[in-house]
């Protein structure tokens, strides 16, 4: 996956989430967007559940 900043600020590594909960550590998504768990920035965010399925 592409990434540029590796800090969760540029948006290059945005990846759709198909299943699971995300521990959002980026500074791009609003709290409402984070709550939907539809997307994540994989350079900084992590799984907040045992299984996280991404669209790669």
């Amino acid at each position: 996956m592409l990434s540029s900043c590796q800090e969760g600020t540029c948006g290059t590594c945005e990846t759709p989430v198909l299943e699971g909960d995300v521990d959002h550590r980026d500074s791009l998504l609003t709290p409402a967007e984070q709550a939907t768990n539809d997307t994540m920035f994989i350079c900084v965010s992590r799984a907040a559940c045992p299984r996280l399925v991404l669209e790669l």
Side-chain angles (χ1 to χ4, degrees):
M1 294 299 300
L2 295 175
S3 66
S4 293
C5 70
Q6 298 182 352
E7 296 177 0
T9 58
C10 74
T12 303
C13 67
E14 184 173 10
T15 304
V17 176
L18 301 177
E19 180 183 324
D21 296 318
V22 179
D23 175 12
H24 293 280
R25 299 179 182 188
D26 64 89
S27 58
L28 295 169
L29 296 176
T30 66
E33 291 170 326
Q34 290 178 350
T36 66
N37 282 316
D38 290 337
T39 189
M40 70 182 285
F41 297 93
I42 60 173
C43 71
V44 292
S45 298
R46 305 288 181 258
C49 61
R51 178 179 161 90
L52 184 64
V53 180
L54 305 177
E55 183 178 314
L56 300 177

